[in-house]
Amino acid sequence: MTFLRDVRFGLRMLARHRTHGITAVAVVALGIGAATAVFSVIRGVLLRPLPYREPDRLVLFRADLPGFAHQPALTSQEYAALEARTDLFESVAVVVEADGNLTAPDDMTPLIAAAISENFFQTLGVGPALGRSLSTGDDRQRWSIDIGYDVWQRHFHGDPDILGHDIEVNNNPMTVAGVLPRGFKLHLGPGVALSPQIDIWYHRGGGYDRDPFRGNIVIARLRRGVTLAAARAGVDALVRQLVADHPSSYRTGPVRLSISTLDQEVVSDVKPALVAVAGAVTFVLLVACANLANLLLARALARSRELALRISIGASRGHIVRQLLAEGLLLGGLGAGAGLLIAQWGVDGLLRLAPATLPMREAIVVDATVATFAIAVSLACALLVSLIPAWHATRPGLSCALNRDPASSRSAGTTRGLLVASQLALSLVLLVGAGLMTRAFIGIRSIPLGFDPQRVLTMYVSLQERTFGTGTIDEAHARRLVFYHQLVDSARSIPGVEQVGVGFPLPLSNTPIPQRFSTGHGQPERAAEGVIALAGYLETLKVPLVTGRYFAAADDNQPVIIVDKRLADELWPERSAIGQRLLMSRLPQAQWAEVIGVVEHVQIQDWHGVSLPQIWMSYATRSYAQLNVVVRASNPLPLAPAIAQAVQKLGPGRPVRDIRLLDAFVADSTADTRFALFVLGVFAALAVVLTAIGVYGVVAYSTARRTREIAVRLALGANGGRIVMLVVREGLVWTILGLVAGAAGARLLTRFVASLLFNVTATDATTFAVIGILLAAIALIATALPAFRAVRVDPMLALRAE
């Protein structure tokens, strides 16, 4: 009952001093709202376990070899060797990207598909919601399929009798064996060429076991008792034996298979940015706490005579402390409620800004746990900062407050000065982090892309196997080439289309074709990034031509290539590359290809990846069944339906998917840095605003308490400028202290964002100097404003007021 009485009294005080109360609640709400929004993301992505059985025992394999850096792609030979190590792994499974066209008599619906080994779901530890998972028995038939929950609802209307029914996928009849759980997503980590949202799952075809190229995404479950270090040692020994036994498979150089747990892999790309954001919001929360402490301290000092009078007539110091703590907790509770509303908006904003690679998005919600976190942190902060004014208001000798101004005491001034210095220090750390991210972002954007991404529409055309996959390999390739030529001609005839090209991969898509080549028989093989380009592809992308010529339509049937300037300078530094020949690795045997042109290097991988020299190959040199279409136009996006319709007019069964502007790939390549930059910038701006308010409030309060002194000085003829300098000099001491402490803290903490930086160090002197001067100027202005206002007051009016 006593506590409730204190709360009711606190409410009356807040109502009486509404400006102070609203300001304090707003400060708490901003700090708690930002912290809660970030906690929701951290909890969903970094703290929540993956939705698999014992995810800490699941591992992913990556290959490192010349021209192939840390890619989750193994050969079938490596997969079979790992599968045989039953002493290390309970099970080893494989998944690969696959076509997933749900076919009908006259049309096809593109779906996201994956081909898996029969033990894939058992290795993950995921069971179906309906029916059963694919099994070894199904592997003998190779015609069973599992479908995702969303596909079951969207295409089959949640029919409970779907099990055992035949559907046609990629022109093949397949029997539905099971339906996966609602909300199931495949989280394997960065660089994995699979969407988290898979619609259909079926077994790998028979040719995979003999495929010498790297394309298998391999996961495994560690055997109980086997540590990650032991598994790594065993895998290293296994790879050495593979290289010794099969030297022809590793002609480009040594290979290493790295192994990491799946829970580490999934967050490896986004963890640095999220850690930086978590640190930033912690600083914002501390700045808010310091600001709140200053507000409460100012209010308590203003009430010192009232509190001293209450103690003198019998109130205990414990009761006074309890009253001040109740008022602080009341502010914390109100701030938590407002902060939750801000947090909900903040989570939506963070998800919109977050990079597409952010995993576990479905787990990022403001739920009861997050609300409990917000309330607990808010009340804890309010309780802790309330102790400062409570101590000052009830310290021994409080009775002197009846005879003099307690705000003029040295201890109160020192406490408030330290709080301001801490705010400045925290703000400096945040501003330095945002400044470094800004310079990194500018550095990334200045990297030459080697192409013009403006006004280009990209799409992927999936060809029906029934029409384009029959007959011999050469016959199938010829039919596909005819179709792509017809598609280019049809697209060019659409009003508004300027240029059309067909090729694979797209720039900045992170999917270069691993291509091996040599300068002749018996010469060592080298690695390059391969790109398939039909006539018009390079021109549509506006890749600058250095020498020679682009591909012509006749070259689509000729083994010719175009190399980038990097490769030309490396192989033929003192002679022309035009007319030179390279021996291209290709099954069943290597093939000679003539160089007809040299172009600038194009960013196929994003700025994180190690970019190799490039070889642009004609369709006759190397061909893929499915290629990308690029269209340049003044306003390309509205043309997408017309282009898709032009594809369908060439015949049914050619669905168009993945329609995107090429600008989107450029944006995705800088998404993690842009995300960290924006969030750090917002938090830094918020901290600076709170700090400026805090500095202004402290100086304004202390200046107001010295109104009589200033009035006497002015009445005796003192110069206003000298008085302003006196006030500013006192504030400058705490400003310098805060800046020095902040610079030291920034040098220690900016190393946590080092992995997000590009062409700038975490201790860049220019950034530190510019941010320090900027923050000092803000503090100086916030300090000078109250002083200027004080010296403009008529001294006689001020003395009468006293």
Side-chain angles (χ1 to χ4, degrees):
M1 292 299 295
T2 303
F3 180 75
L4 291 178
R5 187 168 61 248
D6 291 337
V7 171
R8 286 195 297 270
F9 182 77
L11 285 172
R12 289 198 299 272
M13 294 298 294
L14 288 177
R16 184 179 303 172
H17 303 280
R18 286 188 293 273
T19 301
H20 169 268
I22 291 173
T23 304
V25 170
V27 168
V28 175
L30 287 173
I32 294 300
T36 303
V38 172
F39 173 74
S40 300
V41 177
I42 297 294
R43 172 174 171 259
V45 177
L46 299 184
L47 302 181
R48 182 167 294 190
L50 294 174
Y52 312 135
R53 176 172 57 87
E54 297 179 279
D56 56 317
R57 291 174 55 213
L58 286 171
V59 295
L60 177 75
F61 296 90
R62 292 181 181 270
D64 285 281
L65 65 158
F68 211 77
H70 208 56
Q71 295 297 312
L74 277 61
T75 64
S76 294
Q77 193 174 65
E78 291 162 351
Y79 164 57
L82 290 169
E83 197 175 24
R85 290 301 303 266
T86 55
D87 58 320
L88 298 177
F89 309 110
E90 284 185 7
S91 61
V92 181
V94 63
V95 56
V96 295
E97 184 179 19
D99 289 328
N101 300 303
L102 188 64
T103 58
D106 297 321
D107 202 359
M108 300 169 64
T109 300
L111 298 175
I112 302 173
I116 58 177
S117 58
E118 68 275 4
N119 64 339
F120 182 76
F121 289 121
Q122 288 79 4
T123 301
L124 283 182
V126 174
L130 190 68
R132 58 181 176 81
S133 300
L134 301 182
S135 65
T136 305
D138 295 323
D139 187 50
R140 298 191 189 98
Q141 304 169 23
R142 296 190 184 277
W143 301 119
S144 293
I145 190 171
D146 281 341
I147 62 175
Y149 188 91
D150 290 343
V151 171
W152 179 46
Q153 295 293 323
R154 187 170 63 248
H155 290 281
F156 304 106
H157 311 292
D159 181 7
D161 297 325
I162 188 66
L163 301 179
H165 282 208
D166 286 343
I167 60 176
E168 191 172 284
V169 177
N170 299 335
N171 305 136
N172 295 311
M174 295 188 177
T175 303
V176 178
V179 178
L180 291 176
R182 183 175 188 174
F184 170 75
K185 294 185 184 298
L186 183 64
H187 299 290
L188 295 182
V192 176
L194 281 172
S195 168
Q197 183 68 57
I198 305 294
D199 296 322
I200 53 177
W201 309 75
Y202 53 83
H203 284 298
R204 300 190 307 158
Y208 281 98
D209 297 334
R210 299 181 299 276
D211 189 352
F213 296 107
R214 296 192 172 274
N216 295 299
I217 302 166
V218 179
I219 63 170
R221 180 171 291 277
L222 292 175
R223 185 165 292 282
R224 291 189 183 278
V226 176
T227 64
L228 189 60
R232 284 172 174 162
V235 170
D236 288 342
L238 178 149
V239 172
R240 287 194 297 269
Q241 190 63 46
L242 275 177
V243 174
D245 293 343
H246 307 280
S248 61
S249 299
Y250 301 98
R251 288 174 293 179
T252 57
V255 65
R256 179 178 180 273
L257 297 185
S258 58
I259 174 175
S260 300
T261 57
L262 210 55
D263 50 3
Q264 294 174 340
E265 280 284 346
V266 168
V267 301
S268 59
D269 260 16
V270 299
K271 188 174 182 179
L274 291 182
V275 169
V277 170
V281 79
T282 300
F283 282 8
V284 170
L285 185 60
L286 291 175
V287 169
C289 287
N291 214 315
L292 179 63
N294 254 329
L295 287 171
L296 294 180
L297 180 58
R299 183 70 197 132
L301 292 175
R303 296 170 58 190
S304 292
R305 285 190 174 90
E306 169 210 332
L307 299 176
L309 181 60
R310 291 173 63 184
I311 290 176
S312 66
I313 60 176
S316 67
R317 286 186 169 83
H319 177 76
I320 299 297
V321 170
R322 190 174 66 245
Q323 175 63 55
L324 295 177
L325 292 181
E327 293 177 15
L329 290 175
L330 181 61
L331 290 174
L334 294 174
L340 281 173
L341 297 177
I342 296 175
Q344 183 61 64
W345 172 84
V347 167
D348 295 339
L350 287 173
L351 289 178
R352 282 194 294 268
L353 291 168
T357 55
L358 183 70
M360 306 287 287
R361 284 174 175 264
E362 65 277 7
I364 302 174
V365 292
V366 179
D367 55 10
T369 301
V370 173
T372 301
F373 167 85
I375 294 171
V377 171
S378 180
L379 294 180
C381 290
L383 180 63
L384 289 174
V385 300
S386 297
L387 292 175
I388 298 175
W391 177 78
H392 275 281
T394 60
R395 67 190 186 280
L398 183 64
S399 58
C400 297
L402 294 172
N403 302 316
R404 65 178 176 85
D405 183 7
S408 62
S409 68
R410 183 179 297 274
S411 63
T414 300
T415 301
R416 304 195 72 193
L418 287 174
L419 289 172
V420 166
S422 67
Q423 288 178 281
L424 285 167
L426 294 168
S427 298
L428 179 65
V429 175
L430 283 176
L431 280 173
V432 167
L436 292 173
M437 295 304 302
T438 300
R439 296 198 63 187
F441 187 72
I442 293 172
I444 294 170
R445 295 303 298 265
S446 66
I447 298 174
L449 296 176
F451 66 98
D452 181 7
Q454 303 294 323
R455 304 185 297 111
V456 177
L457 185 70
T458 71
M459 60 191 68
Y460 178 80
V461 179
S462 184
L463 299 182
Q464 192 178 47
E465 189 69 19
R466 177 181 294 158
T467 304
F468 294 95
T470 58
T472 66
I473 293 177
D474 290 339
E475 290 172 344
H477 287 183
R479 279 194 296 272
R480 291 177 181 125
L481 184 57
V482 169
F483 164 74
Y484 286 123
H485 283 168
Q486 293 173 340
L487 170 58
V488 170
D489 292 339
S490 297
R492 280 182 184 149
S493 65
I494 297 173
V497 171
E498 298 172 3
Q499 291 174 299
V500 182
V502 175
F504 181 89
L506 293 168
L508 292 174
S509 61
N510 279 328
T511 55
I513 301 172
Q515 180 62 50
R516 295 181 297 180
F517 71 95
S518 66
T519 56
H521 291 291
Q523 297 299 314
E525 286 195 336
R526 306 185 185 207
E529 294 177 350
V531 184
I532 298 170
L534 274 66
Y537 191 57
L538 284 158
E539 297 95 312
T540 305
L541 294 175
K542 291 191 179 299
V543 178
L545 182 67
V546 177
T547 185
R549 63 179 178 85
Y550 292 118
F551 291 123
D555 295 322
D556 292 338
N557 291 305
Q558 301 296 324
V560 292
I561 57 175
I562 294 175
V563 299
D564 70 347
K565 191 174 184 299
R566 185 183 302 180
L567 185 58
D569 291 342
E570 181 182 326
L571 295 180
W572 307 288
E574 298 180 356
R575 51 184 172 150
S576 174
I578 307 303
Q580 304 293 336
R581 295 200 307 163
L582 294 179
L583 189 60
M584 311 291 290
S585 294
R586 178 181 175 181
L587 290 179
Q589 61 183 9
Q591 180 184 38
W592 285 103
E594 180 182 346
V595 178
I596 63 169
V598 178
V599 296
E600 292 291 350
H601 182 81
V602 174
Q603 286 294 128
I604 299 296
Q605 302 194 64
D606 63 22
W607 65 276
H608 292 285
V610 178
S611 189
L612 293 172
Q614 291 162 351
I615 300 177
W616 298 74
M617 302 172 289
S618 67
Y619 195 78
T621 306
R622 187 162 183 177
S623 60
Y624 270 19
Q626 320 290 351
L627 300 177
N628 296 296
V629 180
V630 293
V631 177
R632 182 174 292 277
S634 57
N635 188 16
L637 198 56
L639 299 177
I643 297 172
Q645 186 177 10
V647 173
Q648 292 304 312
K649 285 182 178 179
L650 296 174
R654 298 166 177 85
V656 177
R657 65 169 76 183
D658 299 337
I659 300 175
R660 299 180 69 190
L661 291 172
L662 194 55
D663 277 337
F665 291 92
V666 179
D668 287 348
S669 68
T670 60
D672 53 353
T673 301
R674 188 176 65 251
F675 172 68
L677 166 62
F678 184 85
V679 177
L680 281 176
V682 169
F683 287 165
L686 179 59
V688 168
V689 170
L690 290 174
T691 299
I693 292 172
V695 172
Y696 177 84
V698 167
V699 176
Y701 184 80
S702 61
T703 303
R705 290 294 175 177
R706 298 173 62 183
T707 299
R708 180 182 179 85
E709 172 196 343
I710 293 173
V712 170
R713 287 173 179 267
L714 291 172
L716 295 176
N719 181 273
R722 294 178 64 87
I723 295 176
V724 170
M725 289 303 301
L726 176 66
V727 175
V728 170
R729 187 165 58 245
E730 292 179 1
L732 198 60
V733 173
W734 300 114
T735 298
I736 294 174
L737 177 62
L739 294 178
V740 171
R747 287 186 65 87
L748 291 174
L749 296 175
T750 50
R751 59 190 176 90
F752 291 107
V753 299
S755 62
L756 298 172
L757 302 180
F758 182 80
N759 280 349
V760 62
T761 64
T763 56
D764 180 64
T766 302
T767 303
F768 274 73
V770 171
I771 295 302
I773 293 172
L774 175 64
L775 196 56
I778 293 173
L780 183 63
I781 293 171
T783 302
L785 285 177
F788 279 117
R789 191 175 64 180
V791 297
R792 289 198 183 99
V793 176
D794 186 342
M796 297 309 296
L797 293 177
L799 290 172
R800 289 194 190 102
E802 287 290 323

